Amino acid sequence: QKVDVPIKTELTPAVFPQNTDQFIQASGPAYVALRGNISVEHFFLQTLSTDEAIFPAKGGNWYNGGEFQQLHYHTWTKDHAKVNEEWQWTSTIIGIVNQTVSILQKTEPEGSFKQTNLAELKMVRALAYFWQMDSYGNVPIDITYGDFSSHPNSSRVEVFNFIESEIKAALPYLSTTIGASTYGRPTQYMANALLAKMYLNAE
């Protein structure tokens, strides 16, 4: 077998991303991460712990060691599977956005497109931090890619202020266009909706 064959193509910053379509493609991993678990762990934590929904056990099905019952009765602990999976999901979103922003800040040429692209990504991260704040309260704030040191928890007030500042900074660069070109990407309407949701529950 030949293992030293000549390389004819190589994916490097010199060839990718190089144009607006490729910059959007390079942003894709953040949106793939966002899509991940919203209808699973996040739904379970947000609805089964309230009076919005309940999962009754039917015979041996849906009991799952009492994990849904624990959410209903508010008896979960730090070892609850869904509590940990929600943390892993939102932390993954934040980490991937940090990585993507780091790459695009270096490779994407300056201009309004770059400002919008980065603002959209930061809104994805702000949404993940909002979910963390809502589910856990005090959480560490980490927006630097490559810094794998342990970060102390920030107070819920500090996290709230961080999210608010990120949204306000992104707002002017977000699109007001609704359609196929912005489908699935944060717009000014999404940013304002998230701000409103924060302010309604600010106390």
Side-chain angles (χ1 to χ4, degrees):
Q1 289 184 348
K2 279 192 167 184
V3 292
D4 57 346
V5 294
I7 298 171
K8 295 180 180 177
T9 60
E10 192 174 7
L11 201 59
T12 69
V15 295
F16 181 88
Q18 291 294 303
N19 57 49
T20 53
D21 287 342
Q22 290 180 352
F23 288 122
I24 291 173
Q25 291 167 3
S27 303
Y31 294 97
V32 172
L34 176 64
R35 181 185 64 188
N37 297 30
I38 191 166
S39 62
V40 188
E41 289 81 16
H42 187 70
F43 171 80
F44 292 157
L45 289 186
Q46 293 292 314
T47 58
L48 300 183
S49 61
T50 71
D51 59 0
E52 289 183 78
I54 187 171
F55 273 5
K58 298 177 180 178
N61 296 323
W62 290 104
Y63 182 67
N64 290 31
E67 66 176 352
F68 303 126
Q69 188 180 65
Q70 291 162 18
L71 293 176
H72 180 73
Y73 286 122
H74 291 202
T75 58
W76 67 84
T77 69
K78 65 180 177 62
D79 298 315
H80 192 282
K82 297 299 177 276
V83 171
N84 281 294
E85 288 160 10
E86 168 88 344
W87 177 262
Q88 183 177 4
W89 172 53
T90 52
S91 296
T92 297
I93 296 169
I94 291 165
I96 290 176
V97 170
N98 288 347
Q99 180 185 41
T100 306
V101 166
S102 172
I103 292 168
L104 294 181
Q105 278 178 332
K106 296 172 188 171
T107 59
E108 200 167 355
E110 296 300 326
S112 60
F113 181 84
K114 178 177 185 176
Q115 290 174 317
T116 296
N117 202 24
L118 292 177
E120 289 169 348
L121 286 166
K122 289 176 181 180
M123 280 304 306
V124 171
R125 185 174 62 195
L127 180 61
Y129 267 114
F130 170 77
W131 285 330
Q132 282 197 350
M133 177 185 69
D134 192 38
S135 295
Y136 306 102
N138 304 337
V139 299
I141 297 173
D142 178 12
I143 60 171
T144 304
Y145 175 65
D147 178 6
F148 303 111
S149 61
S150 180
H151 290 70
N153 281 345
S154 297
S155 71
R156 194 168 192 154
V157 171
E158 291 172 317
V159 179
F160 180 99
N161 291 338
F162 164 74
I163 299 168
E164 181 187 35
S165 66
E166 288 281 283
I167 296 171
K168 286 183 172 180
L171 252 172
Y173 305 108
L174 296 172
S175 177
T176 56
T177 300
I178 300 297
S181 65
T182 57
Y183 181 76
R185 291 159 57 192
T187 62
Q188 285 191 14
Y189 308 111
M190 179 269 192
N192 282 320
L194 186 55
L195 272 181
K197 193 173 179 72
M198 288 178 63
Y199 293 152
L200 282 169
N201 295 284
E203 291 303 319

